Amino acid sequence: MGYAKEPVQKPTEYLKSHEKEPKLPEPQKTGRINQPAKPSVPHPVKDRPLLGVKTNKNFISQNAVDTIMAVPRKPEKNFVDTRKGDKFKLEPSGLEPVYVKKKTFGTVPTYLIERNEERAKFKAEYEAYMQEYFKKGAMRTMSDGERDAILQGLKQNWDDLHHAFQSLSVSIDTLPKKMKKEKLESEMKALEKDIDLLQRHQLIYIAD
């Protein structure tokens, strides 16, 4: 690996000062060197300002008219809560009813109205599509009367089962008692599931 014999430098090739320092490139000239940093001084003759110009404006009367016609500034609402007289702005403090006095207070926002309209439109289109679809398949929509009657029957059955469940003995120490308790619980859960299904879905389709 490497040289078989290390090459020796000549006596004239000795290390000179600052020889191993990196050499930076020559600085380039920018475009602002020959440009003046500031505008030139005005010419004493050509750029002489106009002297002796007077105006007929009456500044005193004009200031008086402006002051009379100016709209008075509303006083700032502050409140003091310390004996030293430290005052703070009233509006951001929450002590003044700002939001309830707005003109739009209590009104439904525009984006909610648009969203409700889109939802109603989509629901109407979906109902029309489903009615057309189920007409072809000989299916009909359950009426509100049928739905309420079924709900009342399911709730009555649940009340009967719940009464029977409450009538069980406190100690379930035999197998028949345990089986009866599990049967009542499973039937009550099934009724609760059916009741929740009817209450959540407004449209229920029945095949004739």
Side-chain angles (χ1 to χ4, degrees):
M1 299 296 290
Y3 293 102
K5 185 178 180 181
E6 186 71 20
V8 181
Q9 294 183 353
K10 297 180 181 179
T12 57
E13 297 178 355
Y14 58 89
L15 184 64
K16 300 178 182 179
S17 61
H18 307 288
E19 186 176 356
K20 290 189 175 183
E21 293 182 357
K23 294 183 179 180
L24 300 176
E26 294 293 332
Q28 298 180 358
K29 294 182 179 181
T30 60
R32 297 183 59 184
I33 295 178
N34 298 327
Q35 295 179 0
K38 294 182 180 180
S40 59
V41 179
H43 195 272
V45 178
K46 295 181 180 180
D47 300 333
R48 181 179 296 177
L50 298 176
L51 303 176
V53 179
K54 296 182 180 180
T55 180
N56 296 326
K57 183 178 179 180
N58 190 349
F59 290 95
I60 297 176
S61 61
Q62 184 64 35
N63 291 339
V65 171
D66 294 341
T67 305
I68 294 171
M69 299 299 293
V71 179
R73 187 175 60 179
K74 293 183 179 181
E76 188 178 13
K77 294 182 180 181
N78 297 323
F79 72 97
V80 179
D81 62 346
T82 60
R83 61 181 181 179
K84 295 182 180 180
D86 298 331
K87 64 180 181 178
F88 305 93
K89 292 184 178 181
L90 182 62
E91 185 173 344
S93 65
L95 300 175
E96 186 179 11
V98 178
Y99 296 100
V100 297
K101 292 184 178 180
K102 286 187 174 181
K103 296 181 180 179
T104 58
F105 179 76
T107 58
V108 182
T110 308
Y111 74 96
L112 286 180
I113 297 175
E114 295 176 354
R115 185 177 299 177
N116 292 334
E117 291 177 354
E118 292 178 358
R119 186 178 300 174
K121 181 179 178 182
F122 175 77
K123 185 178 179 181
E125 292 177 355
Y126 177 76
E127 290 178 357
Y129 168 76
M130 293 302 294
Q131 289 178 1
E132 185 67 23
Y133 177 77
F134 285 120
K135 281 181 181 178
K136 298 177 181 179
M139 298 186 74
R140 64 181 181 84
T141 307
M142 181 184 293
S143 62
D144 294 338
E146 294 177 348
R147 181 170 169 273
D148 294 339
I150 294 174
L151 271 175
Q152 292 297 330
L154 291 175
K155 290 180 180 180
Q156 183 63 38
N157 293 339
W158 188 89
D159 291 337
D160 297 339
L161 292 175
H162 185 260
H163 180 71
F165 184 81
Q166 294 289 338
S167 301
L168 293 174
S169 60
V170 178
S171 60
I172 309 296
D173 51 357
T174 60
L175 184 59
K177 291 181 180 180
K178 185 177 180 180
M179 293 177 63
K180 185 176 181 180
K181 179 175 181 274
E182 292 179 353
K183 181 182 178 182
L184 290 175
E185 288 178 347
S186 62
E187 290 178 357
M188 289 172 63
K189 287 182 180 178
L191 288 174
E192 290 174 358
K193 184 177 180 181
D194 295 338
I195 291 171
D196 180 66
L197 180 66
L198 288 174
Q199 288 179 346
R200 282 191 297 109
H201 300 283
Q202 299 295 330
L203 295 177
I204 299 175
Y205 299 97
I206 304 173
D208 292 335

